[in-house]
Amino acid sequence: MAISQQTPASTEDFDVLIIGAGISGINCAYRVQTELPNVKFTVLESRDRIGGTWDLYQYPGVRSDSDMYSMGFTWHPLPFDQPIAAGAQIMEYLFDAVSKHRLDQHIRLRHLVKSANWSTSDQTWDVVVQEHEGLPKRFSARWIILGTGYFDYEIPLQADIPGLGNFKGQVISPQFWPPGFNYNDKKIALIGSGATAISMLPALPERASKVTMVQRSPTYISPSPNIGWLQNYFPRFLVNGYRRIRYLFSPYLVVLLCHYFPDVVKESLLAEMKKLLPNRFDLETHFTPRYSPWDQRIRLDPDGQFFSTLHLPNVDLVTGDIDTVTSNGIKMRDGQEVDADIIVPATGFNMMMGGKINLQVDNEPVSWQRRYIWNGAMLDSVPNMMFMFGYTNHAWTLGADNTAIVLARLWRFMDRKAVKTAIPRVTEDAAIGTQRMWQLNATYVLAADDQLPVYGMSGNWKLRNRPPVDWFHARWGDFTSGLEFISKS
C-alpha cells in the first residue's frame, strides 16, 4: 500500500485535518471522503504505519476484546467470520480497507502534530507538525478531528509494584514488547487480571518453562465459542447485516442485565467458570470478584483458551497482594513466592486525552480536565474540534462512527446556513452536575479520573452510553442544540 509522503513547501490549507490513522481516523476519513466529497482533507499519523493501537501492541496473544462484528467498519466487510480476531488479522483488515477505498492517498505517515491553535479572527486552526526528518510543517484547517485514542503511547502506566527495582531479571511492558523477544525456557510472572493478561496467558506457556499469573483481585471472564457458522447457510450480505444489527443490541442488553440483575449475572458467570477450572484453583479465591459485573469490563475468553491454559502443568495462578519484588521473583504478603526471570506488568493504560497536542484557543491553553463534553464529540468552548471516543461497554468503533456521522451532518448544515464556526456552550441545566466520562472502576481509570473531561446532566451534554439509542441519535437526532454558530467572516 503506497501512502502519500508529499512534503509541501509552505503552509497547506485544508477543510478538515484528521489526526491519527487508527480505527477512528480511518473510519472518519472514509466518512468525509464519501459523505462530504467536496471537502479537502488529510490524515496525519505520527507512526510509521497505520493502525494506532493495533500497530503499537505486538505482545504474544494480542487480540480484540470486543466482537469484530461491531468493531469492524460498516463499509468494509470482515474477511473472517469469528467474532474475536488476533492483532495481525485486525492490521491486515485495516490495510485492506484503506487500500480498497483509496484512503491511502490522504494519509501522511510520520507526521507528529505538536500544537493546534484556533484563531477566532481567522476562524481556522493553525497546526504545527513535526515530520519524519524533524522539520516543522504548518497546516491550516477549518476543523480538526482528533483520533488520538485515550492513552499515552510513549509512557505506560507506572504500576505500584513494591520493590520492582530489586529485580535482576527483565521487566517487559506489553505496550513495548520487543519484536522477536526470546522467552524460551524462561520463568515469566505475568502481573494483572485485565484484557492484556488474559489474552497473553494462553500464548506464553508453549515456549516459557513456567508462567505464573499474579493478580491482586479476580475479574469476571466469559468463555464463548469463537466461530461463525451462519455464512454456511445464508447469503453473505444477509449474514453481515444480521451480525451488525444483533451485535449492536446484544452487548448493550447484557450491560443492562448486569445493571438491573447483577446477582443473577454474577452467579451465571461463576457457574460457567467453575465448570472450566482445574481442581487445584479455588473459585472463591481466584475467580470471585469483589465488584458486580460491568463495574469493570467482563473479559472475553474465545473458545475458553484462558481456562484451558490453566490446566497446563507449567501454568500457575496466584491471587493476593504483592509484598515485594525480590532479585529473582515476587514475594506475596501471604508468604507465597513466585520465581521469575521475566516480569510482565500488564496493569492497564496510562490514560490521556488529546495525544499530547498543545491545544490552544487564541493562544490560551485548553485543558481537558473536567471540561464538559457535547454530544460525545466536542469540548465546551472549543470551536470546530471533534475528538473520537468509543464505548466502555461496547466496541470502540461504534462511538467513533457516531461522531463521524455527526461531523458530516453538522458540516452540511453549516454550509447551508453560511456558518463557519460551531462552539459548544454548556447550558445552565446541563451544568448542574457531572457524569464520569469513563464509566468503569478499574485502577488505571480511577488514577486518571480527575484529568478527564465530563458529561453534563441534560440535552446533548448527557452521557453517551446507550449504543443503539446513540446510533439513531447520531443519524437522525438533534445535532445543533448546545452549539453557538458564527457566520462566515
Side-chain angles (χ1 to χ4, degrees):
M1 180 181 65
I3 301 288
S4 172
Q5 296 286 352
Q6 177 185 355
T7 303
S10 58
T11 299
E12 285 190 272
D13 299 323
F14 289 93
D15 295 314
V16 175
L17 277 182
I18 301 169
I19 302 171
I23 284 180
S24 298
I26 292 170
N27 182 75
C28 187
Y30 175 85
R31 292 300 186 192
V32 172
Q33 177 175 270
T34 54
E35 300 199 21
L36 304 172
N38 296 321
V39 166
K40 183 182 179 184
F41 75 99
T42 193
V43 183
L44 304 178
E45 169 56 53
S46 65
R47 299 174 61 79
D48 294 332
R49 300 199 305 171
I50 65 168
T53 299
W54 300 105
D55 178 53
L56 175 68
Y57 282 117
Q58 301 293 323
Y59 61 81
V62 61
R63 60 167 173 79
S64 62
D65 191 42
S66 58
D67 70 90
M68 289 301 299
Y69 306 142
S70 302
M71 190 172 143
F73 305 125
T74 59
W75 43 270
H76 190 71
L78 295 170
F80 44 82
D81 290 293
Q82 70 268 28
I84 303 299
Q89 288 179 294
I90 297 171
M91 281 297 294
E92 184 177 344
Y93 171 72
L94 294 179
F95 275 114
D96 187 57
V98 165
S99 177
K100 285 188 176 177
H101 297 277
R102 303 186 64 187
L103 298 174
D104 45 356
Q105 62 186 320
H106 297 288
I107 298 175
R108 305 187 187 200
L109 299 176
R110 292 178 285 177
H111 279 62
L112 174 64
V113 177
K114 304 293 287 186
S115 66
N117 182 40
W118 171 262
S119 169
T120 298
S121 58
D122 296 334
Q123 293 181 289
T124 58
W125 286 95
D126 176 45
V127 179
V128 177
V129 174
Q130 180 180 307
E131 50 93 45
H132 60 97
E133 294 179 351
L135 300 175
K137 300 168 72 172
R138 300 190 88 93
F139 296 84
S140 68
R142 283 180 57 185
W143 280 80
I144 59 172
I145 313 299
L146 305 186
T148 52
Y150 62 96
F151 65 91
D152 193 326
Y153 274 46
E154 299 170 343
I155 303 174
L157 181 68
Q158 304 303 304
D160 183 18
I161 303 175
L164 189 59
N166 299 327
F167 189 58
K168 301 302 182 184
Q170 292 176 283
V171 179
I172 308 292
S173 168
Q175 192 165 326
F176 302 112
W177 192 270
F181 178 64
N182 184 3
Y183 55 92
N184 291 347
D185 302 319
K186 301 292 185 181
K187 292 175 287 187
I188 300 175
L190 176 62
I191 302 176
S193 59
T196 301
I198 289 167
S199 61
M200 281 191 77
L201 186 70
L204 297 175
E206 184 177 355
R207 291 170 53 188
S209 63
K210 180 70 178 287
V211 181
T212 304
M213 180 172 162
V214 180
Q215 59 177 9
R216 184 177 59 183
S217 60
T219 190
Y220 292 105
I221 304 172
S222 177
S224 59
N226 192 34
I227 188 171
W229 53 268
L230 286 174
Q231 69 281 354
N232 297 327
Y233 302 97
F234 300 98
R236 173 63 64 177
F237 76 94
L238 286 178
V239 172
N240 290 343
Y242 167 77
R243 285 171 174 166
R244 175 64 60 173
I245 295 171
R246 175 190 168 186
Y247 282 88
L248 173 64
F249 285 91
S250 56
Y252 177 58
L253 294 177
V254 171
V255 173
L256 289 180
L257 193 63
C258 292
H259 179 75
Y260 290 105
F261 305 101
D263 292 339
V264 173
V265 177
K266 178 177 181 177
E267 291 306 314
S268 175
L269 288 169
L270 293 180
E272 187 67 23
M273 289 191 285
K274 185 176 182 178
K275 288 191 297 186
L276 300 175
L277 275 179
N279 292 331
R280 61 194 175 106
F281 294 122
D282 176 62
L283 179 71
E284 180 69 26
T285 302
H286 299 293
F287 289 95
T288 304
R290 295 174 287 197
Y291 55 87
S292 296
W294 270 111
D295 284 352
Q296 298 183 28
R297 286 183 71 100
I298 296 175
R299 304 302 174 183
L300 300 179
D301 180 26
D303 291 331
Q305 294 174 354
F306 174 84
F307 290 100
S308 296
T309 302
L310 293 177
H311 288 263
L312 297 176
N314 64 332
V315 173
D316 202 359
L317 174 63
V318 174
T319 302
D321 292 323
I322 294 174
D323 180 41
T324 188
V325 175
T326 65
S327 61
N328 60 352
I330 298 171
K331 181 180 179 182
M332 307 298 291
R333 286 187 183 174
D334 63 5
Q336 294 184 81
E337 294 191 3
V338 178
D339 292 334
D341 303 308
I342 300 167
I343 290 178
V344 180
T347 50
F349 308 108
N350 184 15
M351 291 191 70
M352 179 195 67
M353 300 298 296
K356 295 186 177 179
I357 297 170
N358 179 16
L359 195 65
Q360 298 181 330
V361 172
D362 293 326
N363 299 312
E364 292 294 326
V366 172
S367 172
W368 291 76
Q369 184 178 16
R370 312 294 293 175
R371 190 180 286 266
Y372 282 97
I373 302 168
W374 176 86
N375 215 2
M378 297 180 75
L379 294 178
D380 179 41
S381 301
V382 180
N384 289 25
M385 186 203 80
M386 287 191 178
F387 64 95
M388 296 291 171
F389 200 77
Y391 290 104
T392 58
N393 57 6
H394 213 312
W396 182 270
T397 314
L398 291 176
D401 194 36
N402 287 343
T403 297
I405 294 295
V406 171
L407 170 67
R409 293 180 69 199
L410 188 56
W411 183 281
R412 290 192 291 264
F413 171 83
M414 291 171 67
D415 259 10
R416 289 197 307 269
K417 301 293 184 180
V419 168
K420 195 169 184 180
T421 301
I423 310 173
R425 301 291 190 194
V426 65
T427 55
E428 191 173 320
D429 58 330
I432 60 173
T434 63
Q435 300 181 73
R436 295 172 63 211
M437 178 188 198
W438 197 266
Q439 297 277 306
L440 294 176
N441 293 322
T443 301
Y444 70 92
V445 178
L446 298 176
D449 231 9
D450 287 342
Q451 303 302 314
L452 301 177
V454 294
Y455 284 99
M457 305 304 291
S458 66
N460 280 333
W461 302 92
K462 288 192 300 186
L463 177 66
R464 187 178 71 175
N465 70 339
R466 301 175 297 168
V469 176
D470 299 336
W471 189 90
F472 283 98
H473 178 78
R475 288 154 179 80
W476 297 287
D478 173 24
F479 65 97
T480 58
S481 293
L483 297 178
E484 175 190 349
F485 294 105
I486 299 176
S487 299
K488 297 180 181 180
S489 56

